[in-house]
């Protein structure tokens, strides 16, 4: 076994094969959520491509694609021959790109809110509440 | 895929029976470690295609190749293929052990340990005779012989026939494991679309003996949507961004299943777009096998001959 004590995270991800969502995106979202919640910490090692593919019973190329996407987003670092680690200093996106992404999500959120008969105040309340929940978990 | 990296390739593969064309101009490629699923209504030529690939049938025109060697007449490479095809049935007195022995004679890589354990897990004694097995056990026995053979290509026609859900899942897990660990390629025909959605890397939809669609499944998941558009939507803009696979009219909107021409284009909004949602393979399959209302004739032709690579 290896002498350095890097924790390899055991990843429980449930995939929905029938939703039409690409599997690699489902893997990306599941890992992003875990990092956001603080369930996986900076420096921790993610399962190897082979292990995660075996566990999820998916093509290893799907896992590669997911890890590459997370790498591009600056959330993980892929180190040749060593493995995939959660990034410690997450590269901040340029302000314009950051605002663009958040705006897209805001549109989705507000459309949903209108459809279920909610309003802006309630949405803002919920954002505050959720932020607190995430903080306490971290 | 480079030429040397292709496991199976068909070029304009055509087969007729007594003048009736069952399979026409089928050109497909599959690489190592890929699971290719063939979908299509019954009698569409799936089984014929599988037999042609397995070297059990002579093509009327065109060619099927495995590792660069023609499948007809069967090349010496055929020992690397294991198939479970429709109607395969050993003599009723044959013992399970003998079925496995026969396979091990053909393949020096036959894994007896795997074969025995997979039989035992399903309460099949290797001493049992074929006639004493249930329908599911018969199917499983043939699958085990193929899985344990050490083949580089598995050709499976409706492999889930007669298997319960748990066994089907087990089978798909084994196919994936062999694909990831040993680069084993599988070509699977199935009418159970939900199963295909679970295992396939590439999907082929056959309609009237022709390839209607050949695409990586993940790419379809990325690019296909069901969209709702106003009736007066500008078709030319829509078709410049996406292929319209099927469409139907409601009172005041048009509901279409479309495939964007690239992942980047999915970021664009269609003219007057009301909503969009991702679709399951089942919906997509229906869209491909149903006629469309706003498709231009040349578009239809393009779809029919579409090949993703």
């Amino acid at each position: 076994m290896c002498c350095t004590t890097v924790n390899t995270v055991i990843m429980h991800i449930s995939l929905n094969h029938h939703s039409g969502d690409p599997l690699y995106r489902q893997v990306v979202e599941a890992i992003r959520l875990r990092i956001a919640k603080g369930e996986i910490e900076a420096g921790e090692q993610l399962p190897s491509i082979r292990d995660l593919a075996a566990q999820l019973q998916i093509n290893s190329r799907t896992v590669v694609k997911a890890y590459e996407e997370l790498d591009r987003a600056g959330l993980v670092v892929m180190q040749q021959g060593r493995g995939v680690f959660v990034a410690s200093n997450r590269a901040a996106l340029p302000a314009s790109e950051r605002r663009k992404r958040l705006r897209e999500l805001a549109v989705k959120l507000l459309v949903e809110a209108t459809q279920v008969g909610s309003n802006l105040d309630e949405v803002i309340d919920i954002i505050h509440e959720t932020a607190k929940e995430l903080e306490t978990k971290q | 895929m480079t030429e040397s990296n292709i496991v199976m390739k068909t070029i304009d593969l055509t087969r007729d029976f007594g003048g009736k064309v069952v399979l026409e101009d089928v050109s497909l490629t599959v690489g190592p470690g890929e699971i290719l699923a063939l979908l299509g209504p019954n009698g569409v030529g799936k089984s014929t295609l599988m037999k042609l690939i397995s070297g059990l049938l002579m093509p009327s025109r065109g060619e099927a190749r495995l590792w660069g060697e023609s499948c007809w007449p069967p090349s010496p490479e055929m020992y690397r293929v294991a198939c479970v095809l429709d109607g395969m049935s050993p003599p009723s007195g044959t013992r399970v052990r003998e079925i496995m022995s026969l396979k091990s004679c053909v393949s020096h890589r036959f894994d007896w340990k795997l074969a025995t354990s997979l039989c035992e897990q399903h309460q099949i004694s290797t001493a049992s005779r074929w006639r004493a097995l249930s329908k599911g056990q018969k199917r499983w026995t043939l699958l085990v012989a193929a899985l344990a053979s050490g083949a580089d290509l598995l050709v499976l026609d409706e492999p889930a026939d007669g298997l319960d859900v748990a066994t089907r899942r087990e089978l798909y897990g084994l196919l994936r494991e062999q694909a990831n660990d040993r680069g084993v390629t599988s070509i699977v025909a199935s009418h159970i679309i939900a199963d295909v959605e679970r295992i396939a890397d590439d999907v082929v939809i056959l309609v009237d003996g022709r390839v209607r669609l050949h695409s990586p499944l993940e790419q379809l998941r990325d690019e296909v949507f069901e969209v709702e558009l106003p009736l007066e939507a500008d078709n030319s803009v829509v078709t410049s961004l996406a292929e319209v696979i099927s469409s139907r009219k409601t009172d005041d909107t048009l509901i279409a299943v479309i495939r964007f021409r690239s992942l980047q284009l999915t970021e664009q909004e269609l003219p007057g777009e009301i909503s969009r949602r991702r679709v399951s393979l089942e919906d997509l399959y229906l869209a491909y096998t149903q006629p469309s209302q706003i498709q231009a004739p040349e578009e239809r032709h393009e779809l029919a001959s579409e090949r993703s690579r």
Side-chain angles (χ1 to χ4, degrees), chain A residues 16-25 50 53-54 57-62 65 100, chain B residues 32-34 169 172-173 176 180-181 194-195 197-198 201 218 221-222 263 278-280:
Chain A
N16 183 345
H17 292 263
H18 312 299
S19 66
D21 280 325
L23 299 182
Y24 77 94
R25 291 199 181 196
R50 195 190 152 90
Q57 294 195 346
I58 57 177
N59 192 316
S60 44
R61 270 174 304 166
T62 307
K65 204 166 171 189
K100 182 175 159 255
Chain B
E34 283 179 10
R169 289 269 176 103
Y172 300 143
R176 179 56 70 197
N180 279 347
D181 295 354
D195 281 9
E197 203 167 33
R198 180 170 288 279
D201 295 315
E218 282 282 88
R221 288 180 172 129
D222 260 334
L263 178 57
R278 293 190 190 276
V279 299
S280 67

Side-chain angles (χ1 to χ4, degrees), chain B residues 188-210:
Chain B
V188 182
S190 177
H191 66 274
I192 309 173
I193 299 178
D195 281 9
V196 166
E197 203 167 33
R198 180 170 288 279
I199 53 155
D201 295 315
D202 277 29
V203 173
V204 170
I205 296 178
L206 287 175
V207 179
D208 297 331
R210 285 175 164 271

Side-chain angles (χ1 to χ4, degrees), chain B:
Chain B
M1 224 181 293
T2 60
E3 199 68 24
S4 61
N5 204 16
I6 291 173
V7 172
M8 194 262 331
K9 182 179 180 132
T10 66
I11 308 147
D12 300 333
L13 191 62
T14 302
R15 171 73 204 205
D16 57 58
F17 291 102
K20 188 181 178 293
V21 178
V22 175
L23 210 62
E24 197 170 10
D25 293 330
V26 170
S27 297
L28 298 171
T29 52
V30 200
E34 283 179 10
I35 301 178
L36 175 89
L38 295 174
L39 284 173
N42 282 336
V44 80
K46 285 177 297 189
S47 297
T48 303
L49 177 55
M50 302 225 129
K51 281 179 189 155
L52 288 162
I53 295 166
S54 310
L56 298 172
L57 208 57
M58 187 177 83
S60 306
R61 183 159 53 77
E63 196 182 23
R65 286 186 196 160
L66 293 177
W67 302 284
E69 304 278 340
S70 183
C71 299
W72 191 271
S75 78
E77 294 288 301
M78 295 309 284
Y79 80 92
R80 296 167 67 187
V81 185
C83 45
V84 176
L85 301 177
D86 202 30
M88 269 169 89
S89 182
S92 70
T94 320
R95 293 184 196 275
V96 170
R97 186 171 52 229
E98 291 163 344
I99 294 169
M100 303 298 165
S101 286
L102 201 62
K103 207 77 192 168
S104 73
C105 294
V106 186
S107 173
H108 58 278
R109 289 185 287 192
F110 191 85
D111 185 343
W112 273 102
K113 226 174 106 187
L114 180 66
T116 315
S117 80
L118 287 176
C119 283
E120 276 171 4
Q121 282 162 28
H122 288 258
Q123 285 79 48
I124 300 169
S125 156
T126 52
S128 299
R129 289 186 193 278
W130 180 255
R131 62 168 169 265
L133 302 178
S134 71
K135 189 179 178 227
Q137 286 176 325
K138 282 178 176 162
R139 180 49 58 141
W140 186 248
T141 301
L142 294 178
L143 289 167
V144 169
L147 286 163
S149 69
D152 296 310
L153 173 64
L154 299 171
V155 181
L156 311 174
D157 195 0
E158 299 289 351
D161 248 19
L163 301 183
D164 57 48
V165 182
T167 312
R168 260 156 49 195
R169 289 269 176 103
E170 187 180 351
L171 168 67
Y172 300 143
L174 288 163
L175 292 183
R176 179 56 70 197
E177 195 179 297
Q178 297 213 349
N180 279 347
D181 295 354
R182 287 186 38 233
V184 174
T185 302
S186 296
I187 300 175
V188 182
S190 177
H191 66 274
I192 309 173
I193 299 178
D195 281 9
V196 166
E197 203 167 33
R198 180 170 288 279
I199 53 155
D201 295 315
D202 277 29
V203 173
V204 170
I205 296 178
L206 287 175
V207 179
D208 297 331
R210 285 175 164 271
V211 176
R212 186 72 202 272
L213 170 82
H214 178 200
S215 172
L217 182 53
E218 282 282 88
Q219 201 179 331
L220 291 174
R221 288 180 172 129
D222 260 334
E223 294 170 356
V224 176
F225 293 90
E226 184 184 87
V227 292
E228 195 178 356
L229 301 169
L231 279 180
E232 66 281 5
D234 187 346
N235 289 347
S236 66
V237 179
V238 176
T239 51
S240 72
L241 294 171
E243 291 154 10
V244 177
I245 301 162
S246 78
S247 64
R248 65 191 156 89
K249 283 179 179 146
T250 65
D251 286 347
D252 47 5
T253 62
L254 188 73
I255 296 175
V257 175
I258 62 163
R259 179 177 183 181
F260 283 92
R261 297 184 189 277
S262 74
L263 178 57
Q264 284 72 37
L265 288 177
T266 61
E267 286 168 19
Q268 300 210 22
E269 200 165 313
L270 300 167
E273 183 174 329
I274 300 162
S275 69
R276 74 164 75 171
R277 67 173 186 93
R278 293 190 190 276
V279 299
S280 67
L281 184 59
E282 196 165 279
D283 290 338
L284 179 66
Y285 174 79
L286 286 175
Y288 268 109
T289 48
Q290 275 171 358
S292 172
Q293 287 171 11
I294 65 165
Q295 219 165 278
E298 59 273 17
E299 174 86 0
R300 198 168 295 205
H301 178 75
E302 189 181 307
L303 276 177
S305 62
E306 178 183 347
R307 257 156 243 146
S308 64
R309 327 179 227 197

